[in-house]
Amino acid sequence: MLRGKRILLIIGGGIAAFKSLDLIRRLRERGADVTPVLTKAGTEFVTPLSVAALSGSKVYTDLFDLTDEAEMGHIQLSRSADLIVVAPATADLMAKMAQGFANDLASTLLLATDTPVLVAPAMNVRMWQHAATQRNIATLKDDGVVFVGPNDGDMACGEFGPGRMSEPLGIVAAVEAKLADGPLKGKRVLITSGPTHEPIDPVRYIANRSSGAQGTSLGNALAALGADVVFVTGPADVAPPSGVEVIAVQTAQQMLEAVQAALPSDVAIFAAAVADWRVEGASDRKLKKSKDGLPTLSFAENPDILAHVAQLKKGRPSLVVGFAAETNDVEANATAKRKRKGCDWIVANDVSPETGIMGGSENAVSIISDAGVEEWPRMSKDNVARKLAQRIAEAIA
Ligand code: C5P
């Protein structure tokens, strides 16, 4: 629910602006108050009249509207909201935000504000992938801007790939996560999730069957309790949580670097199924069949990210949670693992194929802590996540 929440919605100039009309409806259905701002380019795609009708509010379009400056200056407009949502956020608008331009109402509001900002980018695939856009995204993330999407898909311009604006309900979920008032408000939670891919050569890799489902459920559950979630994910099957900071990596080494860069945090949860080994001296060319025999792979040990963070002398999160996916002697192995790694809790589960847990939608876990072993009944991964998030909130309250 978003009852009483004030949202300043900046609609940029892209074909996805038509979805912002539905977004306004969805936000208002949930009780939010929506004040729309249309960029000049935005007015080419949706009319101020339809935006005004759907939002039930005046639509702001012009920086030099003197009446508005008298009634409500741009500074006040930008600060009276609980959240600024930019949807669609075009490449141009994101570039302005990253550089600090203030040459129209939307960019001026964004520069003058101390309100959190959520952006839903929408643009052509090549524009999204361009080094300049990627640099701007990195800058905006560093500045604390939260992203939702873009999604992969067919684009209005006839191409396929990342660049489609998130659907209105995805943006609503991100807004709800960002505005959640809960016991974890103001707490930073770092989560690793998904498998890692360890390259053999440029086209082949070693992976595991982790789908990223449990990590994603946890990200959603913790964000719903108000946490600021940083989600470091390997190449997972399921989409990452909405309204959280997502850092995508491939290998264990990259995951470690992303985790180190994301610290400090109050809580760190290591739900990723990190490959224990990587191929030593992975080839930078595709390996070829040869009459001289089969290729030999030799392995090197990957860094243990959980152990590294759990054993930090300085800046250790107050609660470090590991996972233990076992196929036998689950409790004994997990208890030993907790000691060896130095984490506070271990969430242990049996991933034998007959349990259907790895890659499935349910989980049966035991929580191993100082207090001993607590077995939870089999339930959906979403419910495991909600229960665990509640426990985490109680533990660090
Ligand atoms: O040692 P094992 O892989 O069974 O331990 C599982 C726990 O350790 C999980 O929480 C996993 O995310 C974490 N881990 C890690 N880095 C590794 C291996 C495992 O963070 N290289």
Side-chain angles (χ1 to χ4, degrees), residues 32-87:
D33 198 36
V34 180
T35 305
V37 172
L38 262 173
T39 65
K40 188 157 182 300
T43 59
E44 304 286 336
F45 292 89
V46 289
T47 68
L49 188 60
S50 43
V51 174
L54 285 165
S55 64
S57 158
K58 175 177 168 54
V59 182
Y60 294 84
T61 51
D62 193 347
L63 182 55
F64 300 106
D65 184 332
L66 292 178
T67 336
D68 290 331
E69 277 300 316
E71 278 170 10
M72 182 193 246
H74 57 262
I75 301 221
Q76 199 190 338
L77 187 57
S78 72
R79 295 195 187 157
S80 58
D82 296 298
L83 183 68
I84 299 185
V85 178
V86 188

Side-chain angles (χ1 to χ4, degrees), residues 192 270-272 274-276 302-306 322-324 337 340-341:
T192 70
F270 296 86
V274 183
D276 288 322
N302 269 331
D304 190 317
I305 307 165
L306 166 61
F323 275 68
K337 191 167 287 181
R340 195 168 65 243
K341 305 229 183 196

Side-chain angles (χ1 to χ4, degrees), residues 150-223:
N151 298 335
D152 282 359
D154 286 321
M155 321 237 347
C157 51
E159 293 185 44
F160 182 89
R164 265 174 78 103
M165 187 169 89
S166 283
E167 294 306 317
L169 286 180
I171 301 175
V172 168
V175 169
E176 285 177 331
K178 192 68 199 152
L179 290 177
D181 274 327
L184 289 172
K185 193 161 182 68
K187 301 287 182 196
R188 186 171 162 90
V189 179
L190 171 65
I191 304 175
T192 70
S193 182
T196 62
H197 285 183
E198 307 296 332
I200 296 170
D201 66 19
V203 295
R204 304 182 179 96
Y205 56 82
I206 294 175
N208 60 62
R209 294 186 194 282
S210 166
S211 63
Q214 186 63 81
T216 294
S217 301
L218 265 168
N220 282 321
L222 287 154

